[in-house]
Amino acid sequence: MKHLIIDKTMKEIWPDTRVGCLQYRVKVEKKNEELWKYLKKDIFKKTRDAIFDNGINEIPNVKESRAAYKAFGKDPSRYRVSSEALIRRIGQGKGLYEVNTVVDVNNLISIESGFSVGSYDVSQISEELVFRIGQKGETYKGIGKDEIKIEALPVLADKDGAIGSSTSDSERAMITEDVTEVLTLIYSFSENDGLEKALEYGRKYLEKYAGAQNLESWIVE
């Protein structure tokens, strides 16, 4: 299993920072029809209702993530936490991109929980990982994007540098249909028990819709 720590400085600035971890074997497929029926029939409606009831910025766990971004020195309206970006797409009637079974479940967990969720190819990352604040001038090539400025963003990194963030991940460990082992991380900046709940249904979704096997889960605090 990968070993993840949360950087001391990050914890000092935002003590509620925690990370839920799911590591598993998988055969990545292009699409799961049952998953997309569930998304379109149930999740999109629940999400639109949550937007109507709360406003996007006040949705539980999105609200706390935005506050954490401000504390780290990043404008959350310019660099949105990924869960907020997904929820906004649904609210605007744009739906979601179809990527593959792992990424699609990743997005489902993120939308339902309000937490940013990232999935990474285990073979492309080191054994020791750290969740920290992006350093001055730090950038990486985003998935389907140009260089992303990750300074002051919450960042996942290993000995070779940053791998992803709670806004947008890098290409280095992106999930393709060739991947056989995945680490899915749920980034929480909330003091509630939402992370424990997200880990529980996240496990079920990954097994049901992505065929995850030998799944291990734990929380880093």
Side-chain angles (χ1 to χ4, degrees):
M1 306 304 295
K2 298 294 184 184
H3 181 248
L4 171 68
I5 63 169
I6 299 172
D7 181 70
K8 180 182 176 183
T9 301
M10 175 176 266
K11 286 291 284 187
E12 287 173 351
I13 295 173
W14 201 261
D16 291 328
T17 303
R18 297 192 298 159
V19 183
C21 308
L22 297 147
Q23 189 167 337
Y24 50 93
R25 305 285 300 180
V26 69
K27 185 179 187 306
V28 183
E29 304 284 355
K30 187 172 183 180
K31 185 177 181 180
N32 181 297
E33 294 290 351
E34 189 180 356
L35 165 61
W36 279 93
K37 286 179 184 176
Y38 177 56
L39 278 165
K40 291 175 180 177
K41 182 182 177 183
D42 298 316
I43 297 300
F44 287 4
K45 182 182 183 303
K46 283 172 62 177
T47 303
R48 287 192 292 267
D49 288 347
I51 294 170
F52 181 80
D53 291 341
N54 301 288
I56 293 176
N57 294 353
E58 296 297 314
I59 289 175
N61 303 322
V62 170
K63 178 181 178 180
E64 290 84 353
S65 298
R66 288 177 62 89
Y69 270 42
K70 287 182 181 178
F72 297 143
K74 208 70 171 178
D75 180 354
S77 295
R78 286 194 62 204
Y79 291 84
R80 299 193 193 282
V81 63
S82 61
S83 53
E84 180 186 344
L86 291 169
I87 289 167
R88 282 184 180 276
R89 282 191 62 86
I90 294 169
Q92 293 164 355
K94 295 178 180 178
L96 300 175
Y97 294 110
E98 295 179 7
V99 183
N100 57 53
T101 46
V102 169
V103 175
D104 294 345
V105 173
N106 180 114
N107 291 341
L108 167 59
I109 299 167
S110 185
I111 293 161
E112 188 160 339
S113 68
F115 295 124
S116 173
V117 181
S119 290
Y120 310 95
D121 179 356
V122 165
S123 70
Q124 299 301 311
I125 57 181
S126 304
E127 291 303 310
E128 301 293 327
L129 302 166
V130 59
F131 190 43
R132 59 168 171 78
I133 300 169
Q135 299 165 2
K136 185 174 178 61
E138 196 171 14
T139 66
Y140 58 50
K141 178 77 168 62
I143 298 173
K145 300 178 181 178
D146 296 325
E147 289 291 311
I148 297 174
K149 296 177 181 178
I150 57 174
E151 178 181 340
L153 280 176
V155 167
L156 177 71
D158 65 6
K159 63 181 178 61
D160 296 318
I163 302 158
S165 78
S166 48
T167 286
S168 184
D169 289 319
S170 77
E171 285 188 341
R172 173 156 56 113
M174 66 186 288
I175 304 299
T176 69
E177 290 179 38
D178 297 323
V179 172
T180 59
E181 189 171 7
V182 175
L183 177 67
T184 294
L185 301 181
I186 305 173
Y187 301 112
S188 170
F189 301 102
S190 304
E191 63 178 355
N192 57 39
D193 64 351
L195 180 57
E196 284 80 2
K197 292 177 180 177
L199 266 182
E200 186 176 337
Y201 58 70
R203 181 188 190 106
K204 293 177 182 176
Y205 288 153
L206 286 164
E207 291 175 340
K208 181 176 182 178
Y209 297 126
Q213 297 182 328
N214 306 121
L215 193 153
E216 299 284 344
S217 66
W218 68 100
I219 290 176
V220 178
E221 300 189 3

